[in-house]
Amino acid sequence: MSCRRGALIVLEGVDRAGKTTQCHKLVQALQQSGRAAEMMRFPDRTTKIGKLISSYLEKKSNLEDHTVHLLFSANRWEMVPLIKQKLEQGINLVVDRYAFSGVAFTSAKPGFSLEWCMNPDVGLPKPDLVMFLQLNPNMAANRGEYGIERYETSAFQRTVHQRFEQLMQDSSVNWKVIDAARTIEEVHKDIKLLSEDIISLAENQPVGEL
Ligand code: T5A
Ligand code: NA
């Protein structure tokens, strides 16, 4: 006998779309309904690699563009043993950003192809569900503290949004688009329903690879 595995659920979207808010609410809701659930976020700024990334994002240090891309990917790879372990233990993981953010943000810089950007993340555990919080970057800009960290300019975010649109063409990934311009509760209701559905489906399937 083996225990049912947990689902790998990812929230993506442009900056300020509400990902962190919704991840917390989803974990709480799943736990309240008696399911094991934990949150994970990328970048994970607590590791050695994560601290390099955090300093870069806060503009306290500069890193060459390819280098920082590989660090973001390495920051996911260093969590893979833990991700696999949690899923095997039957814990549902709710992940705030994943490889798709990595690709969308770097490929929004001049001279980076989607293909080059995707390569370092090939082989990562594949999410069972990726929910894209759709929000016009102009609306996102009106939500608190926009413009402090690197990448937080409307022009760059518009390009990031276009890259996400391109990534969502990939039908081998289970994308669901969520209208994030609604209230926190309305958005949460959709996210919870989609997550509950995927949790029952995923438990009968092995974890895939990106
Ligand atoms: N990055 C990331 C890469 O370049 N490569 C990578 O591989 C990865 C993983 C940091 C940066 O790193 C880049 C992308 C980012 O630029 P981060 O630490 O996740 O990534 O970014 P944060 O600044 O923490 O989070 P975001 O800006 O993405 O915001 P969220 O999580 O989408 O939004 P949230 O929930 O914090 O909400 C923002 C504000 O809006 C309000 C909230 O209360 C909050 O004030 N809000 C709403 N207001 C109205 N209606 C709603 N429905 C609302 N939902 C939330
Ligand atoms: Na966030």
Side-chain angles (χ1 to χ4, degrees):
M1 55 151 261
S2 64
C3 96
R4 290 166 170 181
R5 78 162 171 98
L8 184 58
I9 297 170
V10 169
L11 268 74
E12 285 283 9
V14 292
D15 290 7
R16 299 297 179 268
K19 298 176 296 298
T20 302
T21 304
Q22 293 297 334
C23 281
H24 283 297
K25 283 188 75 74
L26 177 58
V27 168
Q28 211 173 17
L30 292 175
Q31 288 174 347
Q32 275 165 5
S33 66
R35 295 176 177 89
E38 289 181 19
M39 184 167 160
M40 205 174 252
R41 68 186 305 173
F42 293 109
D44 178 338
R45 302 187 192 217
T46 64
T47 68
K48 281 182 196 160
I49 294 168
K51 289 193 171 82
L52 293 173
I53 293 171
S54 188
S55 155
Y56 170 82
L57 288 171
E58 292 168 16
K59 296 181 189 160
K60 289 178 182 157
S61 67
N62 282 315
L63 288 165
E64 194 275 334
D65 288 330
H66 299 78
T67 309
V68 75
H69 182 73
L70 296 173
L71 288 176
F72 272 113
S73 180
N75 185 234
R76 286 183 280 279
W77 278 107
E78 64 181 334
M79 291 301 159
V80 168
L82 190 64
I83 292 175
K84 289 185 171 168
Q85 186 194 325
K86 299 270 187 198
L87 295 179
E88 277 164 23
Q89 287 170 346
I91 298 166
N92 298 291
L93 287 180
V94 175
V95 185
D96 188 353
R97 294 188 190 276
Y98 201 54
F100 314 99
S101 276
V103 176
F105 278 76
T106 303
S107 69
K109 297 177 178 181
F112 284 87
S113 67
L114 280 185
E115 200 192 0
W116 187 90
C117 294
M118 284 162 81
N119 267 327
D121 288 312
V122 169
L124 283 177
K126 187 178 200 159
D128 298 295
L129 171 66
V130 187
M131 289 176 278
F132 182 77
L133 301 195
Q134 181 95 53
L135 185 69
N136 180 317
N138 295 328
M139 277 189 75
N142 293 328
R143 292 182 178 175
E145 292 193 349
Y146 201 64
I148 292 166
E149 287 207 323
R150 205 182 284 264
Y151 302 150
E152 295 190 340
T153 68
S154 292
F156 192 76
Q157 293 289 329
R158 273 194 296 276
T159 313
V160 170
H161 198 266
Q162 288 167 4
R163 294 295 175 266
F164 273 123
E165 297 280 351
Q166 281 174 271
L167 289 174
M168 283 190 270
Q169 308 293 312
D170 179 359
S171 56
S172 76
V173 173
N174 183 18
W175 286 100
K176 293 279 187 274
V177 178
I178 310 277
D179 174 10
R182 297 169 296 159
T183 67
I184 290 174
E185 285 306 327
E186 285 168 333
V187 176
H188 169 67
K189 214 175 139 199
D190 283 3
I191 288 178
K192 184 169 168 272
L193 283 175
L194 287 167
S195 301
E196 287 169 344
D197 286 347
I198 207 67
I199 286 170
S200 0
L201 282 177
E203 61 190 24
N204 303 312
Q205 293 164 8
V207 184
E209 283 185 0
L210 278 184

